[in-house]
């Protein structure tokens, strides 16, 4: 424990301590206060009656989104703002296949087909599968009404009486590398995602073929009554050569134009993440470095490259000038901590985000909202009455969140947990902090689950001073069991546990610490063993996932109404089973995906979640 703690850290520590659950010893069964107003009679009355099969089953179908009558705009169109990205040249490249015998002849063109093909040759992807089933955009077909019939409801369910505010955002999410496929087609350049996964693990070459099936996917989402669709744009589909001054891929621009327009046509609104892990390979001098251990995150995402920040801002400006007029919500980075290699990585992310926020609001005069989405499996103290455990939880959360939120939302310095752990962190000057302050209109968070935290026996500071310590960089013990030996919740196929009550405390912690509206930008649950089920009907009847979503949404309602936390919305991950970075068995989807036919089928949880939302939307919506 520090001898002296800053006032800010102390305040945050006390807020965290007050926010945690405390174990209160109790005897006897669970009380039922809701029965006090309607007590049961002291004794039952037995009687005979005539028997008949009179059980009725209510048949309901999902309500699709109606066609829009008007479309909102949030900025001027591309023609009016194109001067912010002058001298853009556009071209097209075609597709690449290592088995092609033809050779490009335009070797004198530094950005021609030969140079583009050389990008893929350098990537040296193994076990490459060039195409899936489709090679052109598929026209959508209406979803059969028989597919939209709601499944039998679970016997137990939420009993709340709250409604969501009229402006509450509910939607479903996906990301380019995890669903698009068509990785070397229509000019897309290679990314970290094609080389990171090796061996026999599943690759991103085909995935859900959403690049060609996006209209059908959007049709299916709209048919369920979902109003927001969140997706990411692939940097190398817009700029195959990644760097400023290189040609823009016209087919990439056209693709996302068409995607956004179709979302609007179906009565929904798009939410766009500019960058979701798929770093262009140009930021890795030696491709073998992609497999090096990162000092901070799990993967070296290349953000520390000296040209990354300017290149990202250039790419972001191209995207914003083309699409900001139709998109109400933007996110710069997805979970940047996980792919940050070192202190320079964090510096690049924080400053690149702020520069794009200023461009969006100050230069484009856009009226939508621009934020960032972060990760942190909420650290809760092993014993909330033990100050060492509380300090460890605060250290854990501030390292992952305060590193970005302190400068971007409050205009204050990085937390001590970050500065004292990362030896090469880049200090922020007063002018930096003035520029960074307030450059997030919302705090995007992906709160999948919670983690029980305690300090190592030899102390957090000893770990923080030793980059080879096995607990580095968070320097705390992480567990999924409580002090009484129980798991913190029902376990999924992966790291996710059902922890709704912790979510409510988490939202309060976020809102009160960084004083910015909170946007739950991802949350989801991969049911244990779902991929091993041989019968489709068993996969579709995913009650654990329904419990996860409904309990989390119930706690979001309590957070809004009982705790006064401004939660602006929630995006379910994911709208369909997708590629989970080398794995197809970790199934987060609200729909199944047949990997042979690419057929999608709605799961029970999709119906349950949408029904929960629609039943609780304010009457004016």
């Amino acid at each position: 424990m520090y001898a002296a703690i800053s006032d800010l850290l102390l305040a945050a520590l006390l807020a965290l301590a007050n926010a945690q659950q405390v174990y209160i010893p109790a005897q006897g069964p669970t009380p039922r206060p809701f029965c006090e107003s309607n007590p049961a009679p002291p004794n039952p009355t037995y009687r005979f009656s005539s028997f008949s099969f009179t059980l009725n089953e209510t048949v309901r179908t999902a309500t699709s989104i109606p066609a829009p009558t008007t479309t909102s705009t949030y900025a001027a169109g591309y023609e009016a703002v194109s001067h912010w990205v002058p001298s853009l040249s556009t071209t097209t490249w075609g597709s690449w296949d290592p088995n092609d015998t033809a050779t490009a002849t335009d070797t004198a063109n530094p950005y021609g087909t030969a140079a583009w093909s050389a990008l893929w040759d350098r990537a040296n992807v193994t076990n490459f599968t060039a195409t899936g089933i489709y090679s052109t955009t598929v026209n959508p077909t209406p979803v059969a009404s028989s597919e939209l019939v709601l499944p039998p409801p679970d016997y137990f369910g939420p009993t709340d009486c709250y409604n969501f505010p009229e402006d509450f955002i509910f939607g479903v999410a996906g990301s380019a590398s995890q669903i698009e496929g068509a990785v070397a087609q229509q000019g897309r350049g290679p990314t970290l995602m094609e080389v990171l996964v090796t061996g026999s693990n599943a690759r991103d070459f085909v995935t859900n073929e959403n690049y060609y099936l996006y209209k059908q996917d959007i049709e299916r989402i709209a048919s369920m009554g979902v109003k927001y669709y969140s997706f990411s744009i692939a940097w190398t589909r817009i700029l195959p050569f990644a760097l400023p001054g290189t040609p823009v891929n016209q087919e990439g621009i056209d693709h996302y134009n068409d995607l956004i327009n179709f979302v609007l046509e179906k009565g929904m609104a798009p939410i766009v993440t500019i960058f979701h892990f798929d770093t262009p390979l140009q930021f890795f001098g030696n491709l073998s470095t992609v497999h090096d251990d990162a000092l901070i995150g799990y993967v070296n995402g290349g953000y520390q490259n000296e040209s990354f920040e300017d290149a990202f801002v250039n790419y972001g400006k191209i995207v914003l000038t083309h699409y900001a007029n139709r998109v109400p919500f933007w996110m710069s980075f997805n979970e940047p901590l996980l792919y940050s290699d070192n202190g320079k990585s964090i510096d690049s992310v924080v400053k690149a985000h702020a520069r794009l926020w200023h461009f969006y609001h100050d230069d484009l005069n856009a009226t939508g909202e621009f934020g960032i989405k972060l990760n942190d499996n909420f650290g809760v103290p092993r014993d909330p009455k033990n100050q060492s455990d509380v300090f460890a939880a605060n250290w854990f959360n501030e390292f992952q969140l305060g590193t970005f939120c302190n400068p971007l939302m409050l205009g204050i310095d990085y937390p001590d947990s970050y500065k004292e752990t990362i030896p090469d962190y880049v200090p922020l000057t007063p002018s930096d902090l003035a520029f960074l302050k307030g450059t997030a209109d919302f705090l995007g968070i992906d709160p999948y689950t919670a983690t029980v935290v305690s300090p190592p026996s030899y102390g957090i500071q000893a770990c923080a001073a030793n980059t080879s310590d096995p607990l580095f960089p968070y320097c705390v013990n992480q567990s999924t069991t409580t002090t009484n030996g129980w798991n913190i919740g029902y376990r999924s196929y992966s790291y996710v546990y059902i922890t709704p009550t912790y979510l409510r405390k988490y939202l309060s912690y976020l809102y009160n610490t960084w004083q910015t509206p909170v946007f739950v930008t991802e949350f989801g649950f991969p049911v244990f063993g779902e991929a091993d089920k041989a019968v489709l009907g068993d996969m579709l009847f995913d009650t654990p996932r329904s419990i996860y979503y409904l309990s989390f949404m119930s706690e979001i309602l309590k957070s809004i109404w009982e705790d006064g936390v401004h939660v602006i919305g929630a995006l379910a991950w994911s709208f369909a089973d997708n590629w989970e970075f080398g794995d197809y068995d970790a199934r987060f989807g609200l729909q199944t995906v047949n990997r042979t036919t690419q057929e999608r089928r709605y799961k029970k949880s999709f119906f349950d979640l949408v029904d929960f939302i629609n039943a609780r939307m304010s009457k004016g919506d």
Side-chain angles (χ1 to χ4, degrees), residues 359-372:
F359 176 77
Y360 179 76
H361 284 297
D362 300 344
D363 297 335
L364 296 185
N365 295 313
T367 59
E369 297 193 24
F370 193 98
I372 189 170

Side-chain angles (χ1 to χ4, degrees), residues 303-454:
Y303 312 161
Q304 73 282 0
N305 186 290
E306 61 182 11
S307 60
F308 181 90
E309 181 186 330
D310 287 342
F312 179 82
V313 171
N314 173 72
Y315 156 62
K317 286 182 177 180
I318 293 171
V319 167
L320 290 170
T321 52
H322 279 86
Y323 308 128
N325 61 323
R326 288 158 288 163
V327 177
F329 292 93
W330 290 89
M331 288 168 275
S332 56
F333 288 87
N334 169 76
E335 302 180 349
L337 187 82
L338 294 184
Y339 278 52
S340 289
D341 181 58
N342 56 20
K344 175 56 180 172
S345 299
I346 300 294
D347 184 68
S348 293
V349 168
V350 167
K351 291 174 181 175
H353 164 87
R355 289 170 64 184
L356 280 185
W357 185 94
H358 281 289
F359 176 77
Y360 179 76
H361 284 297
D362 300 344
D363 297 335
L364 296 185
N365 295 313
T367 59
E369 297 193 24
F370 193 98
I372 189 170
K373 62 197 298 270
L374 306 172
N375 64 282
D376 170 34
N377 297 330
F378 188 35
V380 297
R382 176 184 55 187
D383 180 358
K385 293 179 288 187
N386 182 317
Q387 286 302 304
S388 294
D389 288 350
V390 172
F391 182 82
N394 194 60
W395 181 280
F396 177 79
N397 292 318
E398 280 211 335
F399 183 98
Q400 296 178 82
L401 298 171
T403 299
F404 302 98
C405 296
N406 278 12
L408 295 179
M409 294 164 199
L410 301 180
I412 62 176
D413 201 7
Y414 295 126
D416 290 341
S417 55
Y418 172 68
K419 293 193 296 182
E420 297 183 14
T421 303
I422 304 306
D424 64 347
Y425 90 91
V426 180
L428 296 173
T429 67
S431 60
D432 288 335
L433 293 173
F435 182 79
L436 297 171
K437 183 179 181 179
T439 57
D441 301 320
F442 57 84
L443 196 174
I445 192 68
D446 299 349
Y448 282 90
T449 193
T451 302
V452 178
V453 171
S454 62

Side-chain angles (χ1 to χ4, degrees), residues 110 117 145 157 213 238 242 255 300 342 429 436 449 461 540 553 590:
S117 298
S145 58
L213 290 172
I238 300 297
H255 171 78
N300 171 13
N342 56 20
T429 67
L436 297 171
T449 193
Q461 283 69 41
L540 300 180
M553 293 307 302
L590 291 162

